[in-house]
Amino acid sequence: MKKLILQMQMSVDGFVGADEDHRWQLWEWGDDSDWDDALKQDFNAVFETVDTILLSRKMAEEGYLTPWGNAARKFPKDRFYAFAQRIVEAQKVVLSDRLRTSRWERTRVASGDLPREVNALKVGEGGNIAVFGGAGFASALIAARLVDEFQFFINPAVLGSGRRIFDQGGFARLKLIGSKAYACGMVVNRYAPTGRAT
């Protein structure tokens, strides 16, 4: 059975997006990154376990796939950007009841019925399923109890307000399955819902 892994950048005070225009992430997904080498290596290691990327319609349409495809072409020999090549090669599934067809390579559109589609993806052989947001999509997956592992990249910043991902799900207990601090100031915490295998 495949795992659905939700990976999100987060502030120290638990926000995944800022209300104001602050540069709060150590890496804003451009060419410049303040991540240290160990963090870059561990980030790429996650992608080695993934063969499917789950996207919301909004995330797909707002350009998740194009920048990483461009990065894979622009930095073909840079080991840090190995994840971009994995994104290009992986199967992508966009959940949407609005879209009828995909205009993206190696990408198919499935119905917006989260439990049915995600549980169907989890069955079978192969690597895990990764999802990276946005906030509304992550919240819906959490509320439907479909996430098997949370990976929170905690940036050394306090936002004070912003977008959260746990508001819809109600009370839940999580089990810490890993935590690692990095020289650049990032801390990556991994959790699983209690009662599920790690």
Side-chain angles (χ1 to χ4, degrees):
M1 189 87 154
K2 301 179 179 190
K3 288 194 302 188
L4 179 68
I5 300 170
L6 173 64
Q7 188 181 89
M8 300 286 293
Q9 296 239 20
M10 190 175 278
S11 66
V12 170
D13 52 345
F15 296 102
V16 297
D19 284 338
E20 298 178 28
D21 189 23
H22 298 295
R23 186 184 186 279
W24 64 277
Q25 296 178 5
L26 292 177
W27 181 30
E28 297 281 343
W29 309 117
D31 291 349
D32 296 324
S33 170
D34 292 331
W35 286 18
D36 59 72
D37 289 341
L39 178 56
K40 291 175 181 179
Q41 182 178 343
D42 289 350
F43 180 69
N44 273 292
V46 171
F47 282 86
E48 292 172 11
T49 70
V50 168
D51 71 2
T52 304
I53 297 173
L54 187 64
L55 298 165
S56 67
R57 174 195 56 80
K58 187 175 179 184
M59 191 96 158
E61 288 185 327
E62 289 182 359
Y64 176 84
L65 298 174
T66 301
W68 297 131
N70 291 341
R73 284 187 294 280
K74 186 175 180 181
F75 304 107
K77 304 258 190 256
D78 188 331
R79 291 176 54 210
F80 174 41
Y81 284 96
F83 75 89
Q85 188 60 44
R86 292 288 296 163
I87 290 171
V88 170
E89 294 167 354
Q91 166 186 257
K92 275 78 67 182
V93 178
V94 179
L95 296 185
S96 175
D97 287 329
R98 291 188 194 172
L99 294 177
R100 296 291 169 237
T101 58
S102 170
R103 61 181 180 265
W104 305 281
E105 197 173 325
R106 291 185 192 87
T107 304
R108 69 179 176 86
V109 175
S111 101
D113 184 325
L114 289 179
R116 184 183 71 218
E117 297 296 345
V118 171
N119 287 322
L121 287 172
K122 288 182 180 184
V123 175
E125 301 295 317
N128 291 319
I129 306 155
V131 64
F132 308 102
F137 189 51
S139 294
L141 291 167
I142 293 166
R145 306 216 184 284
L146 296 169
V147 178
D148 300 298
E149 181 177 327
F150 298 92
Q151 295 181 357
F152 298 128
F153 284 58
I154 312 298
N155 287 263
V158 175
L159 296 179
S161 66
R163 292 182 297 284
R164 296 185 181 273
I165 57 172
F166 286 101
D167 293 344
Q168 296 178 34
F171 178 80
R173 289 193 185 275
L174 302 176
K175 176 184 176 186
L176 182 67
I177 56 175
S179 183
K180 186 171 179 181
Y182 294 88
C184 64
M186 185 79 78
V187 176
V188 177
N189 291 328
R190 295 173 49 233
Y191 296 93
T194 57
R196 294 194 188 173
T198 59

